[in-house]
Amino acid sequence: MAEIPISAAKHIADDYGYDQVVIYARRCHDSPEPHGEHMTTYGRTVEHCGVAARIGDTLKAFMGWNS
């Protein structure tokens, strides 16, 4: 299981015309492979980066992740 790089989120933003991208990925506990969760955020500008990061932080808090 690999972390998703910010460049992948940028690629989605560029290809699909978005200003902010938040990617949440999860490998379930019932998988035979290692499990876990990952969050990647991207914003087209500094302001958009901040908004995407706050969305990611809100989702992580909701899921009980330690920040």
Side-chain angles (χ1 to χ4, degrees):
M1 183 172 67
E3 293 185 357
I4 299 168
I6 294 170
S7 60
K10 182 182 185 315
H11 182 69
I12 291 169
D14 291 344
D15 284 359
Y16 297 96
Y18 288 97
D19 294 323
Q20 302 157 9
V21 175
V22 178
I23 300 171
Y24 166 70
R26 181 172 190 249
R27 184 182 299 264
C28 297
H29 291 195
D30 59 352
S31 172
E33 307 210 8
H35 59 272
E37 299 171 304
H38 180 73
M39 183 83 63
T40 299
T41 63
Y42 170 80
R44 196 171 297 281
T45 66
V46 171
E47 182 179 354
H48 289 301
C49 285
V51 172
R54 286 192 301 276
I55 292 168
D57 287 343
T58 299
L59 291 171
K60 291 190 297 185
F62 176 77
M63 291 182 286
W65 293 14
N66 295 331
S67 296

